[in-house]
Amino acid sequence: MIEVCSISKFFSVVNDKGLAEGLTAVLNVSLLIPDGSIVSLIGPSGCGKSTLLEILAGLQAPTDGEIRIDGKRVLEPLPSTRKEMEDYKRRYRFISPLANGVFTDRPKHDIAMIFQDYAVFPWMTALGNVVFALELRSAGKKRSERSSCAALEEKARVYLGKVGLTGAEHKYPSQLSGGMRQRLALARALSVEPKIILMDEPFAAVDALQREKLQDDLLFLWKEAKDNAAPISIIMVSHDVPEAVYLSDEVVVFSPGPGGTVRNRIPVNVPRPRARTDPEILEIQERIFAVMQYDINQESMYAI
Ligand SMILES: Nc1ncnc2c1ncn2[C@@H]1O[C@H](COP(=O)(O)OP(=O)(O)O)[C@@H](O)[C@H]1O
Ligand SMILES: [Mg+2]
C-alpha cells in the first residue's frame, strides 16, 4: 500500500522582474494506492504530475506531508539541489534512491522508474543495460547472496525476451526504434522485480500503433507478476486520456497548475482484459475529458 498523505511542494523561483516568489507545484494531494493496482495521474502540463512522481521516488522532498510505503515513511531524498537530482536521474535512470541495495542505510522500498527523457544508457547494449541494473541491485546484497555474472546475464535475457527484444541483445539504443527503446526501459525496470514502478509518460514518444502494443504488453507482464504472487503497483503519469483509462484501476485527474491538486479520482471498475471500445471505457473517457475541458474553460474565463 502506498499512502500519499497531504503532500504539498512549494518552490521559490525568480520571476521576470528578478524577484523571488513562491510557486506551488503540488497542493495537498492525498492518495491511497493498494498493492498491485495501476493508477494514472493525468492533467495538463505544469500541474505537478512529475513533481509528485519524483516525491514518490524519493528524488525530491515534499515541503509538507509525507509518503508511506507499506507503513514505512519515505525519508527525504539524497539529491538536495535540482542539479543533483538531474545528475542522479541521468546516472541511475531506472532506480529510485530509496530502492533496495543502492543506498543501504535507507529504508528498503523496491521502486523502479521509467522516465521519458532518460530512458536507457546509449553507450550500453540492450543486454548491457539490463545487466547493469541487475548488478546495481545485487551490489547492495551480501557477497554470499550475489548472483554470478552468468546468472545475471541469463536473467537479463529472460526479461529482454518478455518484452519482445530477443535477438536485439547486442544492439545499442541508437539502433533500436523508439518503441523498442521503451521496451528496453521496461525490461530493465521489470528485471529488478520491483514492487512499484513509476512511469513518467513512458509511451509519449512512441507512435500510436506501437503504443497500443506496448500498453497491452505492459498489462500482460503486470498480470503475469500478479499471477506469480509478486504484484507490481504501477503509477503512471500520462496526458493521454484513453491510455490512462484503458490501463488503470483509477485515474487521478489533476487541476491545471501551477498548484496542482487532485481534481477528481475516477475509478475504472471494468474487468480485464478490456476492449478499447467498451462502452463503459468510452463513457469514463468522456467524463474525464469533460472535467478537463471544464477546467480549461474556467481558466480562460479568469484570463479575460
Ligand atoms: N525544481 C523546480 N524549481 C522550480 N519550479 C519547478 C521545479 N520543478 C517543477 N517546477 C514547477 O512546478 C510546476 C509543476 O511542474 P511539473 O511537476 O513538471 O508538472 P507536469 O509534470 O504536470 O507537467 C511547474 O510550474 C514547474 O515549472
Ligand atoms: Mg511532467
Side-chain angles (χ1 to χ4, degrees):
M1 170 84 87
I2 305 169
E3 296 164 85
V4 176
C5 313
S6 313
I7 290 288
S8 295
K9 177 79 186 184
F10 311 117
F11 290 110
S12 86
V13 291
V14 178
N15 68 15
D16 46 12
K17 295 192 184 76
L19 300 171
E21 62 176 23
L23 183 141
T24 308
V26 178
L27 186 64
N28 199 16
V29 171
S30 296
L31 296 170
L32 274 186
I33 300 168
D35 285 347
S37 57
I38 305 182
V39 173
S40 290
L41 313 178
I42 199 159
S45 181
C47 70
K49 305 178 298 288
S50 297
T51 303
L52 182 62
L53 208 68
E54 283 170 5
I55 292 172
L56 274 165
L59 274 166
Q60 297 198 34
T63 316
D64 211 351
E66 65 180 44
I67 307 254
R68 284 194 294 266
I69 297 176
D70 297 334
K72 271 190 284 183
R73 185 169 175 191
V74 170
L75 296 174
E76 74 280 7
L78 281 133
S80 60
T81 63
R82 192 172 196 170
K83 183 172 178 307
E84 267 177 37
M85 184 178 83
E86 291 294 314
D87 286 349
Y88 186 92
K89 274 162 65 177
R90 251 187 289 275
R91 210 157 352 123
Y92 301 110
R93 49 198 81 183
F94 51 89
I95 211 161
S96 142
L98 306 165
N100 170 21
V102 181
F103 300 104
T104 41
D105 56 334
R106 300 266 146 184
K108 187 175 140 195
H109 297 296
D110 295 299
I111 310 177
M113 303 193 283
I114 302 180
F115 290 106
Q116 183 194 339
D117 308 337
Y118 306 96
V120 288
F121 296 118
W123 61 89
M124 289 182 191
T125 61
L127 188 66
N129 264 285
V130 183
V131 168
F132 180 72
L134 292 170
E135 276 172 352
L136 208 57
R137 268 294 151 101
S138 145
K141 293 189 179 150
K142 288 195 205 100
R143 198 166 284 275
S144 57
E145 289 168 14
R146 287 187 206 164
S147 310
S148 67
C149 286
L152 292 184
E153 200 175 301
E154 188 47 44
K155 192 165 180 190
R157 283 179 196 279
V158 170
Y159 278 93
L160 286 171
K162 279 181 192 282
V163 300
L165 285 181
T166 299
E169 289 89 348
H170 299 294
K171 292 211 164 119
Y172 285 89
S174 61
Q175 298 169 299
L176 302 175
S177 70
M180 285 163 97
R181 275 203 288 274
Q182 289 312 91
R183 286 178 182 280
L184 175 55
L186 186 59
R188 195 175 48 186
L190 289 167
S191 71
V192 298
E193 289 159 5
K195 288 204 191 101
I196 301 167
I197 299 186
L198 306 173
M199 302 173 136
D200 198 348
E201 306 200 14
F203 309 140
V206 179
D207 66 71
L209 269 181
Q210 281 250 20
R211 193 175 174 141
E212 292 198 349
K213 179 84 176 64
L214 264 164
Q215 292 162 0
D216 286 328
D217 290 353
L218 177 69
L219 284 176
F220 178 85
L221 294 166
W222 169 82
K223 178 157 187 311
E224 188 185 65
K226 195 170 213 160
D227 293 344
N228 290 335
I232 302 174
S233 311
I234 299 179
I235 304 175
M236 181 165 140
V237 168
S238 175
H239 55 224
D240 185 286
V241 174
E243 171 175 277
V245 176
Y246 180 66
L247 291 176
S248 310
D249 295 296
E250 181 173 66
V251 180
V252 179
V253 185
F254 278 70
S255 59
T261 192
V262 175
R263 175 75 168 76
N264 268 48
R265 296 176 57 183
I266 299 180
V268 187
N269 292 321
V270 180
R272 299 183 175 92
R274 298 170 173 172
R276 287 173 198 273
T277 50
D278 182 321
E280 225 178 316
I281 293 270
L282 296 179
E283 197 261 330
I284 297 170
Q285 283 180 22
E286 286 308 314
R287 264 170 53 206
I288 297 175
F289 275 126
V291 170
M292 291 172 78
Q293 196 59 47
Y294 178 84
D295 282 345
I296 290 168
N297 290 344
Q298 287 295 96
E299 264 207 333
S300 51
M301 263 170 63
Y302 290 132
I304 299 164

mmCIF file with all atom_site columns, all heavy atoms in Angstrom, residues 256-272:
data_model
loop_
_atom_site.group_PDB
_atom_site.id
_atom_site.type_symbol
_atom_site.label_atom_id
_atom_site.label_alt_id
_atom_site.label_comp_id
_atom_site.label_asym_id
_atom_site.label_entity_id
_atom_site.label_seq_id
_atom_site.pdbx_PDB_ins_code
_atom_site.Cartn_x
_atom_site.Cartn_y
_atom_site.Cartn_z
_atom_site.occupancy
_atom_site.B_iso_or_equiv
_atom_site.pdbx_formal_charge
_atom_site.auth_seq_id
_atom_site.auth_comp_id
_atom_site.auth_asym_id
_atom_site.auth_atom_id
_atom_site.pdbx_PDB_model_num
ATOM 1   N N   . PRO A 1 256 ? -5.575  22.169 -13.310 1.00 0.00 ? 256 PRO A N   1
ATOM 2   C CA  . PRO A 1 256 ? -4.473  22.802 -14.031 1.00 0.00 ? 256 PRO A CA  1
ATOM 3   C C   . PRO A 1 256 ? -3.527  23.508 -13.062 1.00 0.00 ? 256 PRO A C   1
ATOM 4   O O   . PRO A 1 256 ? -3.975  24.068 -12.065 1.00 0.00 ? 256 PRO A O   1
ATOM 5   C CB  . PRO A 1 256 ? -5.164  23.831 -14.928 1.00 0.00 ? 256 PRO A CB  1
ATOM 6   C CG  . PRO A 1 256 ? -6.587  23.416 -14.988 1.00 0.00 ? 256 PRO A CG  1
ATOM 7   C CD  . PRO A 1 256 ? -6.880  22.698 -13.715 1.00 0.00 ? 256 PRO A CD  1
ATOM 8   N N   . GLY A 1 257 ? -2.234  23.423 -13.367 1.00 0.00 ? 257 GLY A N   1
ATOM 9   C CA  . GLY A 1 257 ? -1.237  24.022 -12.482 1.00 0.00 ? 257 GLY A CA  1
ATOM 10  C C   . GLY A 1 257 ? -0.923  25.424 -12.884 1.00 0.00 ? 257 GLY A C   1
ATOM 11  O O   . GLY A 1 257 ? -1.523  25.928 -13.828 1.00 0.00 ? 257 GLY A O   1
ATOM 12  N N   . PRO A 1 258 ? 0.031   26.077 -12.240 1.00 0.00 ? 258 PRO A N   1
ATOM 13  C CA  . PRO A 1 258 ? 0.718   25.536 -11.065 1.00 0.00 ? 258 PRO A CA  1
ATOM 14  C C   . PRO A 1 258 ? -0.208  25.482 -9.841  1.00 0.00 ? 258 PRO A C   1
ATOM 15  O O   . PRO A 1 258 ? -1.248  26.126 -9.835  1.00 0.00 ? 258 PRO A O   1
ATOM 16  C CB  . PRO A 1 258 ? 1.854   26.524 -10.852 1.00 0.00 ? 258 PRO A CB  1
ATOM 17  C CG  . PRO A 1 258 ? 1.439   27.776 -11.524 1.00 0.00 ? 258 PRO A CG  1
ATOM 18  C CD  . PRO A 1 258 ? 0.546   27.385 -12.658 1.00 0.00 ? 258 PRO A CD  1
ATOM 19  N N   . GLY A 1 259 ? 0.220   24.683 -8.901  1.00 0.00 ? 259 GLY A N   1
ATOM 20  C CA  . GLY A 1 259 ? -0.608  24.477 -7.713  1.00 0.00 ? 259 GLY A CA  1
ATOM 21  C C   . GLY A 1 259 ? -1.504  23.289 -7.902  1.00 0.00 ? 259 GLY A C   1
ATOM 22  O O   . GLY A 1 259 ? -2.639  23.267 -7.448  1.00 0.00 ? 259 GLY A O   1
ATOM 23  N N   . GLY A 1 260 ? -1.010  22.299 -8.637  1.00 0.00 ? 260 GLY A N   1
ATOM 24  C CA  . GLY A 1 260 ? -1.824  21.142 -8.992  1.00 0.00 ? 260 GLY A CA  1
ATOM 25  C C   . GLY A 1 260 ? -2.333  20.409 -7.765  1.00 0.00 ? 260 GLY A C   1
ATOM 26  O O   . GLY A 1 260 ? -1.595  20.138 -6.825  1.00 0.00 ? 260 GLY A O   1
ATOM 27  N N   . THR A 1 261 ? -3.608  20.143 -7.785  1.00 0.00 ? 261 THR A N   1
ATOM 28  C CA  . THR A 1 261 ? -4.173  19.352 -6.712  1.00 0.00 ? 261 THR A CA  1
ATOM 29  C C   . THR A 1 261 ? -5.135  18.353 -7.334  1.00 0.00 ? 261 THR A C   1
ATOM 30  O O   . THR A 1 261 ? -5.438  18.435 -8.519  1.00 0.00 ? 261 THR A O   1
ATOM 31  C CB  . THR A 1 261 ? -4.841  20.267 -5.665  1.00 0.00 ? 261 THR A CB  1
ATOM 32  O OG1 . THR A 1 261 ? -5.121  19.493 -4.513  1.00 0.00 ? 261 THR A OG1 1
ATOM 33  C CG2 . THR A 1 261 ? -6.103  20.917 -6.193  1.00 0.00 ? 261 THR A CG2 1
ATOM 34  N N   . VAL A 1 262 ? -5.574  17.374 -6.554  1.00 0.00 ? 262 VAL A N   1
ATOM 35  C CA  . VAL A 1 262 ? -6.417  16.337 -7.140  1.00 0.00 ? 262 VAL A CA  1
ATOM 36  C C   . VAL A 1 262 ? -7.805  16.912 -7.394  1.00 0.00 ? 262 VAL A C   1
ATOM 37  O O   . VAL A 1 262 ? -8.460  17.420 -6.498  1.00 0.00 ? 262 VAL A O   1
ATOM 38  C CB  . VAL A 1 262 ? -6.493  15.107 -6.226  1.00 0.00 ? 262 VAL A CB  1
ATOM 39  C CG1 . VAL A 1 262 ? -7.477  14.088 -6.778  1.00 0.00 ? 262 VAL A CG1 1
ATOM 40  C CG2 . VAL A 1 262 ? -5.122  14.482 -6.074  1.00 0.00 ? 262 VAL A CG2 1
ATOM 41  N N   . ARG A 1 263 ? -8.224  16.847 -8.624  1.00 0.00 ? 263 ARG A N   1
ATOM 42  C CA  . ARG A 1 263 ? -9.499  17.406 -9.042  1.00 0.00 ? 263 ARG A CA  1
ATOM 43  C C   . ARG A 1 263 ? -10.579 16.334 -8.893  1.00 0.00 ? 263 ARG A C   1
ATOM 44  O O   . ARG A 1 263 ? -11.626 16.565 -8.332  1.00 0.00 ? 263 ARG A O   1
ATOM 45  C CB  . ARG A 1 263 ? -9.320  17.838 -10.501 1.00 0.00 ? 263 ARG A CB  1
ATOM 46  C CG  . ARG A 1 263 ? -10.505 18.331 -11.188 1.00 0.00 ? 263 ARG A CG  1
ATOM 47  C CD  . ARG A 1 263 ? -10.837 19.744 -10.700 1.00 0.00 ? 263 ARG A CD  1
ATOM 48  N NE  . ARG A 1 263 ? -11.822 20.322 -11.584 1.00 0.00 ? 263 ARG A NE  1
ATOM 49  C CZ  . ARG A 1 263 ? -13.101 19.993 -11.569 1.00 0.00 ? 263 ARG A CZ  1
ATOM 50  N NH1 . ARG A 1 263 ? -13.541 19.086 -10.743 1.00 0.00 ? 263 ARG A NH1 1
ATOM 51  N NH2 . ARG A 1 263 ? -13.941 20.563 -12.392 1.00 0.00 ? 263 ARG A NH2 1
ATOM 52  N N   . ASN A 1 264 ? -10.299 15.179 -9.417  1.00 0.00 ? 264 ASN A N   1
ATOM 53  C CA  . ASN A 1 264 ? -11.245 14.063 -9.385  1.00 0.00 ? 264 ASN A CA  1
ATOM 54  C C   . ASN A 1 264 ? -10.477 12.754 -9.346  1.00 0.00 ? 264 ASN A C   1
ATOM 55  O O   . ASN A 1 264 ? -9.412  12.658 -9.937  1.00 0.00 ? 264 ASN A O   1
ATOM 56  C CB  . ASN A 1 264 ? -12.036 14.008 -10.701 1.00 0.00 ? 264 ASN A CB  1
ATOM 57  C CG  . ASN A 1 264 ? -13.311 14.778 -10.639 1.00 0.00 ? 264 ASN A CG  1
ATOM 58  O OD1 . ASN A 1 264 ? -13.309 15.902 -10.194 1.00 0.00 ? 264 ASN A OD1 1
ATOM 59  N ND2 . ASN A 1 264 ? -14.393 14.169 -11.080 1.00 0.00 ? 264 ASN A ND2 1
ATOM 60  N N   . ARG A 1 265 ? -11.035 11.796 -8.662  1.00 0.00 ? 265 ARG A N   1
ATOM 61  C CA  . ARG A 1 265 ? -10.449 10.448 -8.732  1.00 0.00 ? 265 ARG A CA  1
ATOM 62  C C   . ARG A 1 265 ? -11.514 9.572  -9.350  1.00 0.00 ? 265 ARG A C   1
ATOM 63  O O   . ARG A 1 265 ? -12.603 9.422  -8.805  1.00 0.00 ? 265 ARG A O   1
ATOM 64  C CB  . ARG A 1 265 ? -10.084 9.968  -7.336  1.00 0.00 ? 265 ARG A CB  1
ATOM 65  C CG  . ARG A 1 265 ? -9.010  10.831 -6.719  1.00 0.00 ? 265 ARG A CG  1
ATOM 66  C CD  . ARG A 1 265 ? -8.710  10.413 -5.309  1.00 0.00 ? 265 ARG A CD  1
ATOM 67  N NE  . ARG A 1 265 ? -8.315  9.012  -5.253  1.00 0.00 ? 265 ARG A NE  1
ATOM 68  C CZ  . ARG A 1 265 ? -8.054  8.374  -4.109  1.00 0.00 ? 265 ARG A CZ  1
ATOM 69  N NH1 . ARG A 1 265 ? -8.150  9.002  -2.969  1.00 0.00 ? 265 ARG A NH1 1
ATOM 70  N NH2 . ARG A 1 265 ? -7.700  7.107  -4.128  1.00 0.00 ? 265 ARG A NH2 1
ATOM 71  N N   . ILE A 1 266 ? -11.193 9.016  -10.483 1.00 0.00 ? 266 ILE A N   1
ATOM 72  C CA  . ILE A 1 266 ? -12.212 8.281  -11.225 1.00 0.00 ? 266 ILE A CA  1
ATOM 73  C C   . ILE A 1 266 ? -11.837 6.800  -11.301 1.00 0.00 ? 266 ILE A C   1
ATOM 74  O O   . ILE A 1 266 ? -10.847 6.430  -11.942 1.00 0.00 ? 266 ILE A O   1
ATOM 75  C CB  . ILE A 1 266 ? -12.381 8.897  -12.628 1.00 0.00 ? 266 ILE A CB  1
ATOM 76  C CG1 . ILE A 1 266 ? -12.841 10.350 -12.420 1.00 0.00 ? 266 ILE A CG1 1
ATOM 77  C CG2 . ILE A 1 266 ? -13.370 8.094  -13.479 1.00 0.00 ? 266 ILE A CG2 1
ATOM 78  C CD1 . ILE A 1 266 ? -13.061 11.148 -13.636 1.00 0.00 ? 266 ILE A CD1 1
ATOM 79  N N   . PRO A 1 267 ? -12.581 5.949  -10.590 1.00 0.00 ? 267 PRO A N   1
ATOM 80  C CA  . PRO A 1 267 ? -12.275 4.520  -10.643 1.00 0.00 ? 267 PRO A CA  1
ATOM 81  C C   . PRO A 1 267 ? -12.679 3.920  -11.991 1.00 0.00 ? 267 PRO A C   1
ATOM 82  O O   . PRO A 1 267 ? -13.645 4.392  -12.604 1.00 0.00 ? 267 PRO A O   1
ATOM 83  C CB  . PRO A 1 267 ? -13.138 3.933  -9.518  1.00 0.00 ? 267 PRO A CB  1
ATOM 84  C CG  . PRO A 1 267 ? -14.176 4.932  -9.222  1.00 0.00 ? 267 PRO A CG  1
ATOM 85  C CD  . PRO A 1 267 ? -13.741 6.253  -9.764  1.00 0.00 ? 267 PRO A CD  1
ATOM 86  N N   . VAL A 1 268 ? -11.914 2.950  -12.443 1.00 0.00 ? 268 VAL A N   1
ATOM 87  C CA  . VAL A 1 268 ? -12.274 2.248  -13.684 1.00 0.00 ? 268 VAL A CA  1
ATOM 88  C C   . VAL A 1 268 ? -12.542 0.796  -13.293 1.00 0.00 ? 268 VAL A C   1
ATOM 89  O O   . VAL A 1 268 ? -11.629 -0.027 -13.250 1.00 0.00 ? 268 VAL A O   1
ATOM 90  C CB  . VAL A 1 268 ? -11.140 2.336  -14.734 1.00 0.00 ? 268 VAL A CB  1
ATOM 91  C CG1 . VAL A 1 268 ? -11.609 1.755  -16.067 1.00 0.00 ? 268 VAL A CG1 1
ATOM 92  C CG2 . VAL A 1 268 ? -10.673 3.770  -14.921 1.00 0.00 ? 268 VAL A CG2 1
ATOM 93  N N   . ASN A 1 269 ? -13.790 0.530  -12.959 1.00 0.00 ? 269 ASN A N   1
ATOM 94  C CA  . ASN A 1 269 ? -14.120 -0.817 -12.492 1.00 0.00 ? 269 ASN A CA  1
ATOM 95  C C   . ASN A 1 269 ? -14.567 -1.707 -13.647 1.00 0.00 ? 269 ASN A C   1
ATOM 96  O O   . ASN A 1 269 ? -15.650 -2.264 -13.631 1.00 0.00 ? 269 ASN A O   1
ATOM 97  C CB  . ASN A 1 269 ? -15.224 -0.759 -11.437 1.00 0.00 ? 269 ASN A CB  1
ATOM 98  C CG  . ASN A 1 269 ? -14.737 -0.099 -10.165 1.00 0.00 ? 269 ASN A CG  1
ATOM 99  O OD1 . ASN A 1 269 ? -13.590 -0.318 -9.756  1.00 0.00 ? 269 ASN A OD1 1
ATOM 100 N ND2 . ASN A 1 269 ? -15.561 0.731  -9.563  1.00 0.00 ? 269 ASN A ND2 1
ATOM 101 N N   . VAL A 1 270 ? -13.712 -1.813 -14.640 1.00 0.00 ? 270 VAL A N   1
ATOM 102 C CA  . VAL A 1 270 ? -14.035 -2.662 -15.791 1.00 0.00 ? 270 VAL A CA  1
ATOM 103 C C   . VAL A 1 270 ? -13.054 -3.829 -15.744 1.00 0.00 ? 270 VAL A C   1
ATOM 104 O O   . VAL A 1 270 ? -11.851 -3.613 -15.661 1.00 0.00 ? 270 VAL A O   1
ATOM 105 C CB  . VAL A 1 270 ? -13.869 -1.870 -17.116 1.00 0.00 ? 270 VAL A CB  1
ATOM 106 C CG1 . VAL A 1 270 ? -14.191 -2.742 -18.314 1.00 0.00 ? 270 VAL A CG1 1
ATOM 107 C CG2 . VAL A 1 270 ? -14.750 -0.625 -17.099 1.00 0.00 ? 270 VAL A CG2 1
ATOM 108 N N   . PRO A 1 271 ? -13.586 -5.068 -15.744 1.00 0.00 ? 271 PRO A N   1
ATOM 109 C CA  . PRO A 1 271 ? -12.667 -6.211 -15.638 1.00 0.00 ? 271 PRO A CA  1
ATOM 110 C C   . PRO A 1 271 ? -11.726 -6.298 -16.837 1.00 0.00 ? 271 PRO A C   1
ATOM 111 O O   . PRO A 1 271 ? -12.059 -5.855 -17.932 1.00 0.00 ? 271 PRO A O   1
ATOM 112 C CB  . PRO A 1 271 ? -13.606 -7.426 -15.588 1.00 0.00 ? 271 PRO A CB  1
ATOM 113 C CG  . PRO A 1 271 ? -14.951 -6.939 -15.970 1.00 0.00 ? 271 PRO A CG  1
ATOM 114 C CD  . PRO A 1 271 ? -14.984 -5.468 -15.835 1.00 0.00 ? 271 PRO A CD  1
ATOM 115 N N   . ARG A 1 272 ? -10.542 -6.850 -16.596 1.00 0.00 ? 272 ARG A N   1
ATOM 116 C CA  . ARG A 1 272 ? -9.572  -7.044 -17.675 1.00 0.00 ? 272 ARG A CA  1
ATOM 117 C C   . ARG A 1 272 ? -9.681  -8.486 -18.163 1.00 0.00 ? 272 ARG A C   1
ATOM 118 O O   . ARG A 1 272 ? -10.010 -9.349 -17.350 1.00 0.00 ? 272 ARG A O   1
ATOM 119 C CB  . ARG A 1 272 ? -8.154  -6.771 -17.189 1.00 0.00 ? 272 ARG A CB  1
ATOM 120 C CG  . ARG A 1 272 ? -7.965  -5.345 -16.709 1.00 0.00 ? 272 ARG A CG  1
ATOM 121 C CD  . ARG A 1 272 ? -6.520  -5.124 -16.318 1.00 0.00 ? 272 ARG A CD  1
ATOM 122 N NE  . ARG A 1 272 ? -6.248  -3.740 -15.955 1.00 0.00 ? 272 ARG A NE  1
ATOM 123 C CZ  . ARG A 1 272 ? -6.320  -3.267 -14.716 1.00 0.00 ? 272 ARG A CZ  1
ATOM 124 N NH1 . ARG A 1 272 ? -6.680  -4.056 -13.728 1.00 0.00 ? 272 ARG A NH1 1
ATOM 125 N NH2 . ARG A 1 272 ? -6.033  -2.012 -14.463 1.00 0.00 ? 272 ARG A NH2 1
#
